[in-house]
Amino acid sequence: MTNSPQPPGPAGSTAPARRAERARSTSESQVSVSLDLDGTGAAAIATQVPFFDHMLTALAKHSLIDLDVSARGDTHIDAHHTVEDTAIVIGQALREALGDKAGIRRYGDAAVPLDEALARCVVDVSGRPYFVHSGESAGQLTHLIGGHFTGSLTGHALESLAFAAGLTVHLELVTGRDPHHIAETQFKAFARALRTAIEPDPRVVGVPSTKGSL
């Protein structure tokens, strides 16, 4: 699938619209995603994993990416396959919508609190997938949130998204006590950092790399 060149880009410009649609079907899940990088954060999310729906809604809201996600999978066995595959497809759509990455800021960082929890995230739209994640306790990794979502899926979902999108991501949980807050503040920190990284910068000419490509 390719970006549609017809609609205007951000703020009524004549740049190509940064939109994409992707789908993936396996014996474990069926996922479809559409997104618009220059949206308002509107979200329509249905993955059969309620807490993950909540996290993806927060991701859309704080990145200002319009995100439409439909996923069905073997959640009667475990949420892992559905969460992982959904994150992969979102990452693939994100990479497609970014196109050649000309004119973007490329780097973004954010620190986001949620009551007692605090997370920091740095994103580089590098084309080189890498994910560094630190700060979660062993107890967080095994905690079940909302009856379906295991704490370890926070890092796994964001890592899967980053690798599919070609992002370098450093994500650190600085402090936190409540498992829900710990997961949510990390999704929000990632979203805020991503928002800055993919934002058009009027001072950037071409691709923001000395190599000439990302």
Side-chain angles (χ1 to χ4, degrees):
M1 297 182 183
T2 58
N3 296 335
S4 170
Q6 289 84 13
S13 74
T14 57
R18 302 193 301 168
R19 301 172 186 162
E21 297 181 0
R22 292 298 294 257
R24 172 186 171 104
S25 181
T26 71
S27 61
E28 297 170 340
S29 69
Q30 296 79 47
V31 181
S32 63
V33 169
S34 65
L35 55 75
D36 181 352
L37 302 187
D38 301 303
T40 61
I45 314 292
T47 69
Q48 297 183 307
V49 183
F51 186 75
F52 191 43
D53 290 356
H54 180 42
M55 293 300 96
L56 292 181
T57 300
L59 173 60
K61 183 64 138 181
H62 291 279
S63 67
L64 294 181
I65 295 173
D66 287 350
L67 186 60
D68 192 327
V69 176
S70 177
R72 297 184 64 82
D74 54 2
T75 54
H76 59 289
I77 297 174
D78 189 271
H80 182 101
H81 295 148
T82 302
V83 169
E84 177 182 62
D85 291 350
T86 300
I88 289 170
V89 180
I90 293 172
Q92 290 172 340
L94 175 60
R95 187 167 196 156
E96 181 180 329
L98 281 166
D100 65 4
K101 308 178 184 74
I104 65 169
R105 296 189 185 278
R106 176 176 170 178
Y107 299 100
D109 65 274
V112 174
L114 178 55
D115 296 344
E116 88 297 342
L118 174 66
R120 293 184 180 134
C121 187
V122 180
V123 169
D124 176 11
V125 186
S126 62
R128 298 187 305 278
Y130 208 89
F131 187 77
V132 178
H133 188 207
S134 62
E136 288 189 343
S137 69
Q140 174 69 17
L141 297 179
T142 58
H143 193 92
L144 197 61
I145 308 171
H148 292 80
F149 190 92
T150 306
S152 62
L153 289 175
T154 298
H156 187 57
L158 294 176
E159 180 180 41
S160 298
L161 192 162
F163 269 68
L167 308 176
T168 296
V169 176
H170 287 251
L171 177 61
E172 177 191 12
L173 176 69
V174 179
T175 187
R177 181 180 62 253
D178 181 89
H180 183 141
H181 293 173
I182 287 171
E184 186 168 344
T185 193
Q186 292 182 86
F187 269 93
K188 287 180 176 178
F190 172 76
R192 286 277 171 167
L194 181 64
R195 170 179 168 178
T196 301
I198 65 175
E199 186 176 50
D201 185 336
R203 297 180 62 195
V204 173
V205 177
V207 176
S209 170
T210 55
K211 297 192 299 294
S213 65
L214 288 171

